[in-house]
C-alpha cells in the first residue's frame, strides 16, 4: 500500500492482462470490486444438472422400451418413440422450468454484483473506504490500522501444477472491535 501509484499503472495496456477486480485506477485512488465472478461456474453447473436429468430420463426410456419390446414382441424403436411421446409435454415443461431457474439465478447474481460498491484505496489520503453489506454509510479506515496478507497455494490437477495467489485484507469496523474481511 504505497502512497505512490502502482508500477503496473504505467505499463502499456497490451502488455498486461486486464484484471476483473481492478475497476478504476489513477494517481489518487484504486477501486477494487467484483465483476460477476463465478458466472462460468454457474452456467456449467446448471447445464450439468440438466444434462444429468436428461441422461437419467434417456436411461429410463431405453430400459422401458427394451423391456416392453421383449414383452409385446414389438419393435424396440417403436416402443422408444411411443414412450417418448407419452412424456413429451412433461419433459418440455420440466426443461423450461429448469432452464428458467438456471438463467434466473445467473441474471440475478449478475445484477447483485453490479450493485456492489467497490473498495477504494486512496493513496494520497492513505485511507481505505468501503461500504459494509446493506449499509449506505461508508467506513473509512487509515492504512495503519489495516491488516493484509498474501497466501500462496499450489495444487496439482494430475497433468499441471497450479499456483494460486490470494490477497486478503481485514479493515477495522467503525467501533474498532472487529474486522471486515
Amino acid at each position: 500500500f504505497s502512497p505512490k501509484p502502482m508500477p503496473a499503472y504505467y505499463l502499456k495496456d497490451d502488455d498486461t492482462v486486464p484484471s476483473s477486480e481492478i475497476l478504476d485506477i489513477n494517481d489518487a485512488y484504486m477501486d477494487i470490486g467484483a465483476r460477476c465472478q463465478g458466472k462460468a461456474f454457474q452456467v456449467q453447473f446448471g447445464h450439468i444438472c440438466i444434462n444429468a436429468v436428461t441422461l437419467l430420463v434417456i436411461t429410463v426410456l431405453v430400459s422401458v422400451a427394451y423391456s416392453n419390446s421383449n414383452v409385446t414382441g414389438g419393435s424396440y424403436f417403436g416402443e422408444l418413440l411411443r414412450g417418448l411421446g407419452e412424456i413429451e409435454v412433461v419433459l418440455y415443461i420440466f426443461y423450461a422450468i429448469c432452464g428458467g431457474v438456471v438463467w434466473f439465478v445467473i441474471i440475478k447474481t449478475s445484477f447483485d454484483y453490479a450493485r456492489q460498491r467497490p473498495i477504494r484505496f486512496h493513496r494520497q489520503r492513505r485511507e481505505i473506504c468501503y461500504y459494509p453489506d446493506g449499509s449506505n454509510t461508508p467506513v473509512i479506515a487509515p492504512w495503519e490500522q489495516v491488516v493484509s496478507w498474501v497466501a500462496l497455494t499450489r495444487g496439482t490437477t494430475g497433468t499441471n501444477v497450479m499456483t494460486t495467489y490470494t490477497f486478503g485484507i481485514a479493515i477495522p469496523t467503525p467501533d474498532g472491535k472487529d474486522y471486515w474481511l
Side-chain angles (χ1 to χ4, degrees):
F1 296 140
S2 169
K4 299 175 184 174
M6 292 178 57
Y9 177 67
Y10 294 110
L11 294 176
K12 294 184 294 188
D13 288 338
D14 56 347
D15 289 342
T16 60
V17 176
S19 172
S20 62
E21 287 82 21
I22 298 176
L23 302 177
D24 192 16
I25 186 169
N26 61 30
D27 289 339
Y29 62 85
M30 177 174 62
D31 288 343
I32 294 179
R35 285 192 184 169
C36 298
Q37 295 172 338
K39 294 293 122 190
F41 173 75
Q42 288 177 345
V43 171
Q44 290 170 352
F45 183 72
H47 286 287
I48 286 170
C49 291
I50 291 172
N51 290 339
V53 171
T54 302
L55 183 63
L56 178 68
V57 167
I58 289 172
T59 304
V60 169
L61 280 175
V62 166
S63 63
V64 167
Y66 181 74
S67 65
N68 284 349
S69 68
N70 286 341
V71 170
T72 62
S75 166
Y76 168 75
F77 290 109
E79 291 293 329
L80 184 63
L81 291 175
R82 189 175 63 77
L84 185 60
E86 290 176 2
I87 63 169
E88 181 179 14
V89 174
V90 174
L91 285 178
Y92 286 146
I93 292 171
F94 173 76
Y95 286 122
I97 290 172
C98 286
V101 167
V102 167
W103 285 107
F104 171 77
V105 168
I106 292 167
I107 292 169
K108 182 183 180 322
T109 55
S110 296
F111 283 125
D112 289 345
Y113 278 132
R115 280 189 231 111
Q116 283 182 344
R117 293 185 176 129
I119 300 170
R120 175 165 283 185
F121 297 89
H122 203 290
R123 294 186 187 97
Q124 293 173 348
R125 295 185 193 156
R126 298 182 58 86
E127 296 174 335
I128 294 178
C129 175
Y130 73 96
Y131 288 85
D133 295 334
S135 174
N136 290 327
T137 307
V139 174
I140 299 172
W143 285 11
E144 290 77 19
Q145 295 178 358
V146 174
V147 178
S148 63
W149 63 93
V150 175
L152 167 86
T153 56
R154 286 197 177 142
T156 180
T157 63
T159 57
N160 294 328
V161 175
M162 299 185 63
T163 304
T164 304
Y165 297 93
T166 303
F167 172 68
I169 187 166
I171 306 169
T173 56
D175 58 7
K177 296 180 181 177
D178 202 3
Y179 284 92
W180 182 81
L181 298 175

